[in-house]
Amino acid sequence: MEGVDAGYLYMETPTMHMHTLKIAVLEPAEAFDLTRLQAEMVARLAELPPLQRRALPAPFHLNHPLWVTDRAVDPQHHVFAHDVPAPGGMAGLEVLIGRVAGTPLDRTRPLWEMHVCQPYGDNRIAVITKMHHALADGVAANALLGNIVDGLGGDPRPARDRPHRDLQLEPTPTWSAQLRMALVDAIRQIGDLPSLVSLTVRAVTAVVRHRRASTVTVPRPLLDVPRTPFNGALTARRNFATATLPIGLIKEVQRAHGVTMNDVVLAVVGGALRRYLASRGELPARSLVAGVPVATDVAGAGPRLGGNRVSNIFTTLATDLDDPEERLRAISRTTGESKLIHQTLGASMLVDWVQFAPPAPLTGVMRLYSRSRAASHHPAPFNVVVSNVRGPGEPVSISGAQLRDLFSVGPILEGIGLNVTAWSYVDRMNFSFLGCPDLVQDLAPLVAELPRALEELRTTKGAA
């Protein structure tokens, strides 16, 4: 296992769950049958490599765990059915998603679950797929989705009617083989360390020179981060809420102001947070800071079905600015500068260093950190995670069921108790909010501010 993937396992604690959620709203052509769905998932596992594997810790935790495909997947331990609680619809589904999000995955099995929720309403069902972040990031999850939609590769047949490859199981490596692989890989990593240190020194020096010459200031983690109600120690509980905005309106703002789609998404989230906090008398004088995951895949490398190629940049949400247009401009300038710094430092720098993360010490430190609730006693690294992932641009179906909507959200972290993930589908941008109800009891008032924040941007003088 690569260090960047294993790091998500080491970070996990009883209160910090490192799984991601993908929520698909489907309109099936026939009645739902749990047993058939369980069988279909097993039949498709050859096309979904990360879902076959389980994590096998290395002997004495000398190195990162191994991914092994040594056991048949029992669908009864992975595919479940639920009734959507009252009042039903999206409101009831959001409650159920919060419950699913607040339960950790079983580390002894492949790290995924599928929860089928009905009745969702209008003959639709909702499917919550829970995957550990160690399996895949947003880019890989998109590629996995592409492997199960109907019509793949020009074959018009539903996915369940196309021929499937048999899952190839491998024998579990012996303890001595595991030990040998862990040691050989550790020695190889040590050999890479001198060149990585040299590369890092040169990159950091270049970043320092760049920042001295730049007129745009990028917020510093911890040092420039104000305290908000959702920045504190987590409990195991989770709450969830959604909002949908038309992509056409987001693109309208993008074109009018000459910024990127991601800039507009950040400005909408920043505007919503400003309005929400101000209405409660909790808006800090300094701007909120967002951590923004960025993909580091090499251009033209082709679809990636697993693992993580992701780093982070830090940017302002300009919540200290009252004027929406000024806020958008400030976000665009800062985000652009943060990307330049990230490129100067090297897109793979974080990934390369995480390869050296020590499994046992890091796991112990993270558990002690969570247990002591230390995140409540110091500034957060940043205030909120804001992700933006491009989903399917055309309607798709899965096993003959029409995919009517798609939502996604990543984990929240100790001290950073709010994650906002925007995932596009066809003509709409679906925003998912994941929080901790012991920090923010009700996400609905915050989510309700998103359309107002977008409308503020549309009516500024820069808009067409």
Side-chain angles (χ1 to χ4, degrees), residues 146 149-158 162:
V149 300
D150 297 339
L152 182 67
D155 189 337
R157 289 176 292 178
R162 299 198 300 266

Side-chain angles (χ1 to χ4, degrees), residues 90-398:
M90 181 54 78
L93 179 62
E94 288 173 350
V95 172
L96 183 54
I97 293 170
R99 295 174 187 167
V100 171
T103 306
L105 289 160
D106 183 353
R107 290 278 193 98
T108 66
R109 305 181 186 280
L111 296 171
W112 64 276
E113 294 174 354
M114 182 174 287
H115 300 261
V116 182
C117 314
Q118 62 173 352
Y120 174 72
D122 299 327
N123 297 318
R124 299 179 180 184
I125 63 173
V127 179
I128 308 167
T129 301
K130 181 163 69 171
M131 289 193 304
H132 203 284
H133 216 315
L135 296 184
D137 57 16
V139 172
N142 241 343
L144 289 170
L145 176 64
N147 262 17
I148 62 171
V149 300
D150 297 339
L152 182 67
D155 189 337
R157 289 176 292 178
R160 71 166 180 243
D161 295 335
R162 299 198 300 266
H164 295 285
R165 294 182 289 118
D166 291 334
L167 181 62
Q168 300 297 315
L169 299 180
E170 302 171 352
T172 306
T174 64
W175 186 88
S176 59
Q178 296 173 37
L179 181 63
R180 182 174 62 255
M181 286 187 285
L183 289 173
V184 168
D185 190 64
I187 292 170
R188 181 191 59 77
Q189 290 179 40
I190 293 172
D192 294 338
L193 190 57
S195 61
L196 179 58
V197 170
S198 176
L199 179 65
T200 302
V201 170
R202 293 198 301 270
V204 170
T205 302
V207 167
V208 171
R209 286 199 300 264
H210 175 87
R211 293 194 68 149
R212 286 175 177 171
S214 177
T215 58
V216 180
T217 301
V218 173
R220 298 165 296 177
L222 291 171
L223 299 177
D224 298 325
V225 179
R227 174 71 69 174
T228 73
F230 41 83
N231 295 127
L234 302 177
T235 67
R237 299 197 304 153
R238 299 291 181 266
N239 53 0
F240 179 84
T242 63
T244 297
L245 300 177
I247 284 183
L249 298 185
I250 294 175
K251 288 183 176 179
E252 177 186 322
V253 175
Q254 175 198 3
R255 290 190 297 266
H257 293 274
V259 297
T260 68
M261 282 274 285
N262 194 55
D263 292 335
V264 180
V265 167
L266 288 166
V268 169
V269 173
L273 284 167
R274 174 185 166 85
R275 295 173 63 96
Y276 169 79
L277 292 171
S279 69
R280 285 156 175 73
E282 297 171 331
L283 180 66
R286 287 188 296 173
S287 173
L288 271 64
V289 177
V292 182
V294 291
T296 61
D297 291 273
V298 178
R304 174 171 53 84
L305 296 177
N308 292 266
R309 291 291 181 273
V310 65
S311 187
N312 279 278
I313 64 173
F314 304 100
T315 189
T316 181
L317 290 178
T319 53
D320 56 333
L321 299 177
D322 182 60
D323 183 80
E325 184 178 15
E326 289 183 23
R327 189 180 311 126
L328 176 58
R329 297 290 182 191
I331 289 171
S332 181
R333 287 193 304 270
T334 307
T335 303
E337 177 68 11
S338 189
K339 289 177 181 177
L340 283 175
I341 291 174
H342 183 261
Q343 293 167 4
T344 303
L345 190 60
S348 66
M349 185 66 69
L350 176 63
V351 171
D352 292 340
W353 274 109
V354 172
Q355 189 66 29
F356 294 90
L362 184 54
T363 299
V365 167
M366 290 306 304
R367 286 181 173 269
L368 177 61
Y369 183 77
S370 287
R371 191 165 55 247
S372 64
R373 300 184 59 80
S376 293
H377 304 296
H378 65 79
F382 50 92
N383 295 110
V384 56
V385 180
V386 183
S387 302
N388 180 17
V389 181
R390 182 177 179 180
E394 299 293 333
V396 299
S397 61
I398 301 174

